[in-house]
Amino acid sequence: MGENESSLPNTSPQDKKMAYHKVNADQRAQGHSPYLDNDDLQATALELEWDMEKELEEPGFDHFRLDGAVQHHLGNSQSPDLDLEPIQPSTSPKGRFQRLQEDPDYISHYTRQAPKNNRCNFFQILKVFCTALIVFIFGIVIGYYSGKKCPSPPASPEPNNPHTYHEILKEIKAENIQQIYRDLLQFSREDDVDTAMKILVQWTSYGLEDVQLVNYSVLLDLPGSSSNTITLKNSGECFYPDGQQCNRGTKTLHSQDLLYSYAAYSAKGTLEAELVDVQYGTIEDLIRIQAITNVTKKIALLKLGQSPLLYKLSLLEDAGFGGVLLYVDPCDLPKTTDLADKAFMVSLNSGGDPSTPGYASIDGSYRQHRLNLTTLLVQPISAVLAKKIISVPENSIQKDRCVPLQLPSTEKKIISLNIQSVTTYRTISNVIGYLKGTVFPDRYVLIGSHHSSLNTSSGQEWASSTAIITAFIQALMLKVKRGWRPDRTIVFCSWGGTSFGNIGSYEWAEDLKRVLQRNVVAYVSLHNPVRGNSTLHPIASPSLQQLTAESQSFNCVEKTKCPGSNVSSVQIQGDSDYFINHLGVPATQFSYEDINKSENSSFLSEALFPVHATKTEELDPSFKLHETIAKLTGQVTLQIANEPVLPFNALDIALEVQNSLKVLIGDKVDASQLLAVASQLRDTAELFQSDEMRPANDPKERAPIRVRMLNDVLQSLEKSFLVQQAPPGLYRNILYRLDERTNQFSVLLEALEHYKLHQSNETIQAALSEVLNSISSAQVYFKAGLDVFETTLAGKK
């Protein structure tokens, strides 16, 4: 080594570089890299070897040390003489030996001189022969194993286009959904974990590879051992929530329905007080009532509808009420339904496990043992019982029109309310299945249903939801087995604990919040898909309205049966809640409902009436409605998962904002600043859509980096519209209106109502500021997206 070190400084940088490339060329040849199968690369390597033979004849290279080249790679990567990117240096002893063996003075430096005699030629010939034989055998071995480790390239995946979608969706058939539905009903009364496990087995049997069971221990408020009761002190009569009198004969009739006619997370105990009819519990109703009576610790008779239940209960709690009897006025129900003698369940939980608000219920989490979420004793009752309490005379019922229920102001009713529910920790399970994407595997399209949870009042309604998502999985996997894959990952979710406040979806999303914030592009909901059979009711966030409307025409088989339904952005029930209001994810949902012309029918779906298997099959005996929902849902899911550019419409968001502000111009609200910012948002959205969306959808201009950047902007369009806080029951995502009748932002509408009650302008100003900041933030976000694209394109030019 002494000689080597003394001679190395005489080596020029160019000599080092040529020697370095020679060694690595030899190493690559022996490793049989697949990259050298290319004729051009092999020719380049041969030319390099020939040049090196000439270089090695020059003085100064007779004592080359390979270690020096390795050190250059590790410690001197900034050297301009070394191009280290194409190949990686190897430290294989065999490679080093071969390089040094080519030095003509190598033998004289490291071995003794052999005596010259007649046997020299024989040994040289034998040496050459053995070397050739070894190299030949070694080449065969390397060729065999390299061929084994480098399988032939897979067949190119099938393209994603409307024809592919049609092939998948045609496999969704009504008879298959009906069979899956009936199979699910066989274990509908089992424990939540057992039900989830059977769904997991079913999804796996269809070929879905990555299916997980995710469990959480959560605080649930369950019925006690006996039903809650309502006693009329005037007559001494005792009733169960459905209107049956308290006796042993009726107690066993539909006992589960009776037990689950309650308000989860209500206050517990007994309250005896005067009954006060507050109708729908609006601000006007409260002002009228408080003007004539003191409502402290009294019981409110409240109708469900018009606005969210949690919002109305917060008003009643602030007013000082002690309890609430909750019912649905028959005049607000569709004529096709007969629920007058049915009590129902509601949840007073705004979302997630109440013992871990804002964070996931994982092992080791701090638990807040909250026995109730309100100071009010809340009890749902049937319309039949409401009529008995009000004492509606038979001759007042008119056959030609419906008369809304109302307690006569002259009557004084004393009610005793007894509520005995029990809070306890239970395990709820989510089933999560992944179908990995091939182009953007880190982008998720979520499609969610829910399954039975602990014998809740919703009965068999969940089976429709689960049957549809399972049929979609079945159809998808038939295509996957033939080599197809989506571009983005599709995540199938069956949630547990939905009827208690969307607990399963909240806990899973809180558990994976950081990942979902970055990866989820859309949520497709299958919550209660067939609740009637009269009309299709599509709901979507503004950015998905156009896609949702187009999907209806795509799935039309007979044009005469495909009238276009208006797509609206209104609040919906179910597990999409967290994704819309905490992650700002665009969402869509299709469902069939009965036609209801009542202005008070919104938010009636908060009532979970007992639904039995016969009811579902009466609504859709052929399961054709289920098939339509499955195909519409599948169509939207496939387009979002496979379109190169996400099919989101930025301009529709700006238009929705402007429409929501036009109705605010009045004495109490100065909307000039809001309208100015909204106009800027529309201008930017138009520029964004015209300059970026059209070129990105043109394959000739579809540069991968540009498409990825554009999709990142589109994915986060709605996140700017999440306000910090919203009144109970109202969406934090202000792009969603309260219902079909209202056009204003819900937070501004509530602030105007609040002004009527407290005569304070502070709430209005705070709400205006929230909305202004949201619109301004969205405008800045759109503008920043445009600037990034322009900078990128300018750099490329």
Side-chain angles (χ1 to χ4, degrees):
M1 292 299 294
E3 284 189 72
N4 280 354
E5 292 173 357
S6 63
S7 61
L8 187 60
N10 297 326
T11 306
S12 68
Q14 182 64 25
D15 294 337
K16 291 181 184 178
K17 178 175 180 181
M18 297 302 297
Y20 177 83
H21 281 290
K22 174 62 178 72
V23 172
N24 284 278
D26 288 344
Q27 291 166 358
R28 288 193 298 166
Q30 291 185 359
H32 190 69
S33 169
Y35 297 106
L36 291 184
D37 291 340
N38 184 285
D39 293 339
D40 294 337
L41 291 177
Q42 289 179 358
T44 302
L46 290 174
E47 289 174 6
L48 184 60
E49 291 178 13
W50 185 81
D51 290 340
M52 279 304 306
E53 293 299 331
K54 294 171 65 179
E55 289 287 331
L56 290 173
E57 293 175 2
E58 298 179 5
F61 249 84
D62 52 336
H63 305 300
F64 177 76
R65 185 162 63 104
L66 179 63
D67 292 347
V70 176
Q71 289 168 3
H72 269 286
H73 173 68
L74 297 177
N76 273 333
S77 59
Q78 72 275 18
S79 172
D81 295 328
L82 295 178
D83 183 11
L84 304 183
E85 186 177 355
I87 53 176
Q88 294 295 328
S90 171
T91 56
S92 166
K94 184 174 179 62
R96 182 182 293 110
F97 174 76
Q98 284 187 330
R99 169 65 191 89
L100 295 177
Q101 195 175 22
E102 296 175 5
D103 188 338
D105 297 329
Y106 174 77
I107 301 296
S108 63
H109 293 319
Y110 293 99
T111 61
R112 290 180 299 174
Q113 187 74 20
K116 295 183 179 180
N117 53 34
N118 294 333
R119 297 168 59 190
C120 181
N121 291 337
F122 171 76
F123 282 117
Q124 286 182 349
I125 294 173
L126 181 62
K127 181 179 177 182
V128 171
F129 176 77
C130 292
T131 302
L133 181 62
I134 291 172
V135 170
F136 176 73
I137 296 173
F138 190 63
I140 292 176
V141 172
I142 290 178
Y144 173 75
Y145 281 104
S146 64
K148 215 175 172 186
K149 292 180 182 179
C150 298
S152 58
S156 58
E158 295 189 39
N160 288 305
N161 52 48
H163 178 69
T164 302
Y165 306 157
H166 177 73
E167 284 188 344
I168 294 171
L169 297 177
K170 75 178 181 180
E171 298 295 335
I172 300 177
K173 297 178 176 136
E175 54 269 26
N176 291 347
I177 300 175
Q178 186 176 40
Q179 186 58 52
I180 294 169
Y181 174 84
R182 291 174 175 174
D183 292 342
L184 290 170
L185 292 181
Q186 295 179 7
F187 47 88
S188 62
R189 290 295 184 184
E190 296 186 11
D191 183 78
D192 186 81
V193 178
D194 294 334
T195 301
M197 180 56 73
K198 291 187 177 181
I199 293 172
L200 181 147
V201 171
Q202 193 171 36
W203 289 5
T204 305
S205 70
Y206 292 136
L208 197 59
E209 302 125 348
D210 187 2
V211 189
Q212 305 169 7
L213 192 70
V214 186
N215 297 330
Y216 296 98
S217 177
V218 300
L219 185 66
L220 298 182
D221 190 34
L222 301 173
S225 56
S226 59
S227 176
N228 297 336
T229 58
I230 302 95
T231 304
L232 305 182
K233 286 299 180 178
N234 301 57
S235 62
E237 294 177 288
C238 173
F239 295 96
Y240 292 126
D242 63 352
Q244 299 183 75
Q245 288 195 341
C246 303
N247 61 60
R248 295 183 179 179
T250 59
K251 193 172 180 179
T252 57
L253 184 63
H254 296 302
S255 58
Q256 284 295 325
D257 292 346
L258 278 176
L259 287 177
Y260 280 87
S261 299
Y262 79 115
Y265 305 104
S266 163
K268 287 83 175 167
T270 301
L271 175 65
E272 182 176 319
E274 181 184 350
L275 188 66
V276 178
D277 188 358
V278 297
Q279 289 294 295
Y280 293 97
T282 63
I283 296 289
E284 288 84 357
D285 290 329
L286 289 178
I287 293 174
R288 173 178 52 83
I289 294 298
Q290 288 179 313
I292 59 176
T293 185
N294 180 10
V295 300
T296 303
K297 295 300 179 184
K298 292 185 179 179
I299 299 175
L301 182 62
L302 176 67
K303 294 181 183 182
L304 196 67
Q306 276 201 18
S307 57
L309 175 61
L310 293 184
Y311 175 65
K312 297 197 288 189
L313 292 180
S314 69
L315 295 178
L316 295 176
E317 191 173 13
D318 291 343
F321 280 93
V324 176
L325 283 182
L326 182 65
Y327 73 102
V328 177
D329 194 312
C331 296
D332 295 335
L333 291 169
K335 293 181 179 180
T336 54
T337 60
D338 183 19
L339 299 172
D341 61 341
K342 302 287 193 306
F344 51 91
M345 173 188 171
V346 294
S347 175
L348 310 185
N349 178 17
S350 60
D353 179 6
S355 69
T356 58
Y359 53 96
S361 298
I362 58 177
D363 293 341
S365 294
Y366 170 67
R367 303 279 180 162
Q368 303 177 29
H369 192 63
R370 304 162 76 186
L371 297 178
N372 48 268
L373 300 180
T374 178
T375 60
L376 298 170
L377 277 77
V378 183
Q379 176 59 53
I381 61 174
S382 67
V384 167
L385 180 54
K387 289 179 180 180
K388 291 179 180 179
I389 294 173
I390 293 173
S391 302
V392 177
E394 291 294 331
N395 58 7
S396 67
I397 300 177
Q398 302 179 20
K399 293 183 179 180
D400 56 337
R401 69 185 186 91
C402 185
V403 180
L405 298 179
Q406 185 172 2
L407 181 67
S409 57
T410 56
E411 292 190 33
K412 185 176 182 179
K413 300 278 186 178
I414 305 298
I415 301 292
S416 178
L417 191 56
N418 181 32
I419 297 178
Q420 301 298 332
S421 56
V422 179
T423 52
T424 182
Y425 285 96
R426 292 288 183 89
T427 298
I428 59 108
S429 301
N430 299 324
V431 185
I432 311 294
Y434 297 85
L435 178 58
K436 295 286 183 168
T438 56
V439 181
F440 307 109
D442 61 333
R443 291 296 179 258
Y444 302 159
V445 180
L446 270 59
I447 174 171
S449 64
H450 66 278
H451 53 261
S452 176
S453 289
L454 307 169
N455 299 330
T456 55
S457 179
S458 56
Q460 317 302 331
E461 170 267 322
W462 67 271
S464 292
S465 172
T466 307
I468 288 174
I469 194 173
T470 303
F472 182 43
I473 292 172
Q474 185 182 31
L476 270 177
M477 297 316 296
L478 291 175
K479 193 70 173 174
V480 170
K481 290 173 183 176
R482 297 196 291 268
W484 175 87
R485 284 265 172 181
D487 288 351
R488 298 177 181 87
T489 297
I490 303 177
V491 184
F492 303 94
C493 311
S494 182
W495 307 113
T498 297
S499 54
F500 291 95
N502 307 317
I503 293 180
S505 55
Y506 258 73
E507 296 312 307
W508 183 77
E510 287 173 345
D511 198 4
L512 302 176
K513 184 174 182 179
R514 300 303 176 204
V515 175
L516 299 178
Q517 282 177 328
R518 182 181 67 250
N519 292 0
V520 176
V521 299
Y523 184 90
V524 183
S525 174
L526 276 169
H527 181 77
N528 201 358
V530 181
R531 64 189 72 154
N533 57 11
S534 299
T535 182
L536 180 66
H537 188 214
I539 295 174
S541 57
S543 60
L544 278 176
Q545 283 186 5
Q546 183 174 328
L547 175 65
T548 303
E550 290 172 352
S551 66
Q552 298 178 67
S553 59
F554 181 88
N555 283 280
C556 285
V557 179
E558 300 178 30
K559 293 183 180 180
T560 56
K561 294 186 178 180
C562 290
S565 299
N566 291 329
V567 184
S568 57
S569 298
V570 297
Q571 293 192 191
I572 55 178
Q573 301 298 311
D575 292 287
S576 57
D577 187 303
Y578 189 92
F579 303 96
I580 292 173
N581 290 302
H582 294 269
L583 299 180
V585 172
T588 185
Q589 171 184 287
F590 294 95
S591 63
Y592 270 99
E593 298 180 355
D594 287 322
I595 297 175
N596 196 332
K597 296 181 179 179
S598 171
E599 294 182 355
N600 306 312
S601 60
S602 54
F603 297 98
L604 293 184
S605 58
E606 292 182 314
L608 301 177
F609 285 96
V611 179
H612 300 284
T614 54
K615 179 64 177 176
T616 300
E617 303 223 18
E618 286 172 7
L619 284 173
D620 187 19
S622 65
F623 273 71
K624 287 294 184 182
L625 300 183
H626 286 75
E627 179 183 324
T628 300
I629 296 295
K631 288 184 175 180
L632 289 171
T633 302
Q635 171 68 25
V636 169
T637 303
L638 288 171
Q639 284 193 258
I640 299 174
N642 293 295
E643 295 297 320
V645 175
L646 288 169
F648 299 165
N649 196 308
L651 184 57
D652 282 350
I653 294 179
L655 293 174
E656 188 79 14
V657 169
Q658 281 193 317
N659 291 335
S660 298
L661 290 175
K662 285 179 180 178
V663 295
L664 284 176
I665 301 175
D667 296 334
K668 300 181 183 65
V669 178
D670 180 11
S672 57
Q673 184 65 29
L674 284 172
L675 291 172
V677 177
S679 178
Q680 293 175 11
L681 174 65
R682 177 173 177 171
D683 292 342
T684 308
E686 286 179 342
L687 188 62
F688 178 86
Q689 194 132 318
S690 61
D691 287 0
E692 302 304 329
M693 291 295 290
R694 288 184 217 166
N697 279 287
D698 182 356
K700 295 179 182 179
E701 300 186 25
R702 197 175 291 162
I705 187 172
R706 191 179 181 192
V707 170
R708 182 62 187 241
M709 290 167 61
L710 176 58
N711 284 336
D712 287 345
V713 173
L714 291 170
Q715 178 182 329
S716 301
L717 287 178
E718 298 189 11
K719 289 180 171 58
S720 298
F721 295 94
L722 300 182
V723 296
Q724 289 297 320
Q725 285 188 333
L730 272 62
Y731 270 15
R732 285 183 59 212
N733 189 329
I734 61 174
L735 291 175
Y736 289 78
R737 293 175 281 114
L738 273 177
D739 54 35
E740 308 282 356
R741 297 176 295 108
T742 57
N743 294 318
Q744 303 98 322
F745 288 119
S746 58
V747 291
L748 290 180
L749 187 65
E750 190 278 332
L752 291 170
E753 291 293 304
H754 190 272
Y755 176 84
K756 297 177 184 177
L757 189 63
H758 299 283
Q759 295 296 308
S760 171
N761 211 31
E762 185 177 340
T763 305
I764 295 178
Q765 295 304 319
L768 286 171
S769 179
E770 288 258 43
V771 173
L772 178 64
N773 287 333
S774 295
I775 300 173
S776 177
S777 175
Q779 196 273 332
V780 170
Y781 179 78
F782 277 37
K783 184 67 169 59
L786 286 172
D787 292 343
V788 169
F789 292 135
E790 290 173 2
T791 304
T792 304
L793 293 176
K796 285 186 176 182
K797 290 177 182 178

